[in-house]
Amino acid sequence: MNIVYLNGHYLTTEKAKVSVLDRGFLFSDGIYEVISVYNGKPFLAHKHIDRLNHSAQAIGLLQPFSQAQWLRIFSKLLKLNQIKTENKSLYLQMTRGVDSTRSLALPKSHLKPTVFVMLKELIQPDYSNLSKGFKVITREDIRWKLCHIKTTALLPNILMQQEALNEGANEVLLIRDKKIIEGASSNVFIAKSNVIYTPPLSSSLLGGTTRALVIELAQKNKLSLQEKQLTLTRLLNADEVWITSSSRDVMPISFVNDQKIANGKPGPLWKKMHSLFQTHKNSL
């Protein structure tokens, strides 16, 4: 039985209902987070809640819970679904709430936010598949300008991700003003001459929690890392390319637009970071 959280209640998926007048349904007026669960424990949950708070503040959405309250919701949901040592994924969505006027104008007073949390399967490739590397394509970024807000308005991401899948790729990397920004659902890193590079934070990209952890692990382990703008030329001429996200951890890329990266195999810096990441993950 799959139990979800909806507005203070723990219900089966079938019994969980949201009003058709919810602004999340009508306008995609909402935000979300995806939190990996390893060995029955939410991973980097505090960082995800911090980012949720930033997204809520950015769109003027009332935050209904403290960090401790969010953690209690996650814990109870895992317990009700009998998740003890399994790996799963928590999907959290919060919308502005139900507004009967269906007006683009924000309501004059705060609505009661709609809060929904569910568990999903967490499917990650094993090391044997990771060691082969994956393929990405590149496309012009067609999203809005405030990509640092993790909003539920994901239609551009969906369309571009489908293009990637149609071409047998795992992800699409987005180009804006001739610069590689991020993936449709990931951050991007390259390695060149033993230095790791990733685009600096801006309103054009989402500050990923996995991205932040990779930077932290690199610094702690004296790996040279710089936040620097990436062009397509730099990407194609890199020694290594990685993408990172909550569902992927650190994924090596062997092909970009059918062009082989270096020798087409994951490189030594990725192997080092993968090992550091797994050690950190298993230590929690």
Side-chain angles (χ1 to χ4, degrees):
M1 181 181 296
N2 190 19
I3 305 295
V4 302
Y5 174 92
L6 179 63
N7 295 335
H9 303 284
Y10 295 87
L11 310 162
T12 62
T13 305
E14 294 75 20
K15 291 183 178 180
K17 307 295 180 185
V18 177
S19 170
V20 294
L21 296 178
D22 192 285
R23 289 181 63 93
F25 173 71
L26 294 174
F27 298 119
S28 292
D29 186 359
I31 55 178
Y32 76 103
E33 285 290 330
V34 181
I35 306 172
S36 296
V37 176
Y38 297 120
N39 298 316
K41 298 178 182 178
F43 185 60
L44 301 177
H46 292 80
K47 299 292 186 182
H48 283 280
I49 296 169
D50 286 344
R51 187 170 64 183
L52 182 76
N53 290 339
H54 289 307
S55 294
Q57 185 176 19
I59 67 170
L61 198 160
L62 186 66
Q63 169 59 280
F65 301 128
S66 67
Q67 189 166 103
Q69 288 172 315
W70 280 117
L71 293 175
R72 284 197 291 271
I73 290 171
F74 301 158
S75 178
K76 185 169 181 178
L77 194 60
L78 290 166
K79 184 176 181 179
L80 290 173
N81 283 281
Q82 300 180 355
I83 305 301
K84 297 179 181 179
T85 59
E86 298 91 335
N87 292 346
K88 293 286 182 180
S89 180
L90 280 163
Y91 176 82
L92 157 61
Q93 179 170 305
M94 187 165 65
T95 78
R96 203 176 301 275
V98 177
D99 182 5
S100 60
T101 62
R102 200 207 170 273
S103 170
L104 289 177
L106 293 176
K108 293 181 179 179
S109 59
H110 283 296
L111 304 174
K112 183 179 180 181
T114 297
V115 179
F116 173 66
V117 189
M118 69 175 178
L119 282 167
K120 298 173 55 185
E121 293 299 318
L122 179 62
I123 301 173
Q124 296 180 307
D126 58 27
Y127 189 82
S128 62
N129 287 326
L130 285 171
S131 62
K132 299 173 185 177
F134 292 82
K135 174 185 174 181
V136 298
I137 62 172
T138 60
R139 290 291 185 271
E140 285 295 320
D141 192 354
I142 60 173
R143 305 169 302 166
W144 73 328
K145 292 185 178 181
L146 302 180
C147 295
H148 63 296
I149 305 172
K150 199 170 177 67
T151 171
T152 56
L154 293 174
L155 184 57
N157 306 61
I158 290 168
L159 296 177
M160 291 185 291
Q161 179 65 28
Q162 190 57 49
E163 285 191 55
L165 294 174
N166 291 344
E167 295 195 23
N170 182 270
E171 173 67 302
V172 53
L173 301 185
L174 308 178
I175 300 174
R176 183 178 295 194
D177 298 327
K178 299 183 179 180
K179 299 179 181 67
I180 301 292
I181 301 298
E182 61 179 348
S185 59
S186 64
N187 292 114
V188 59
F189 290 77
I190 70 167
K192 185 70 177 180
S193 302
N194 262 351
V195 181
I196 303 166
Y197 300 93
T198 191
L201 293 179
S202 71
S203 61
S204 296
L205 63 90
L206 184 71
T209 56
T210 305
R211 173 191 181 276
L213 179 56
V214 166
I215 292 173
E216 179 184 331
L217 291 173
Q219 293 170 341
K220 283 184 177 179
N221 291 275
K222 299 186 179 355
L223 300 177
S224 181
L225 186 147
Q226 298 179 25
E227 294 185 71
K228 192 172 183 178
Q229 300 287 1
L230 303 179
T231 63
L232 181 57
T233 299
R234 290 191 71 203
L235 184 81
L236 295 176
N237 288 287
D239 298 329
E240 304 180 32
V241 176
W242 321 332
I243 56 175
T244 62
S245 71
S246 293
S247 60
R248 296 181 178 95
D249 290 352
V250 186
M251 178 177 282
I253 302 303
S254 295
F255 289 88
V256 177
N257 296 333
D258 292 320
Q259 178 173 322
K260 187 186 294 184
I261 299 301
N263 64 2
K265 298 180 181 179
L269 279 175
W270 172 79
K271 292 177 182 177
K272 175 69 172 176
M273 183 55 66
H274 178 267
S275 176
L276 291 171
F277 197 94
Q278 298 307 311
T279 299
H280 178 84
K281 188 166 70 176
N282 294 330
S283 69
L284 299 178

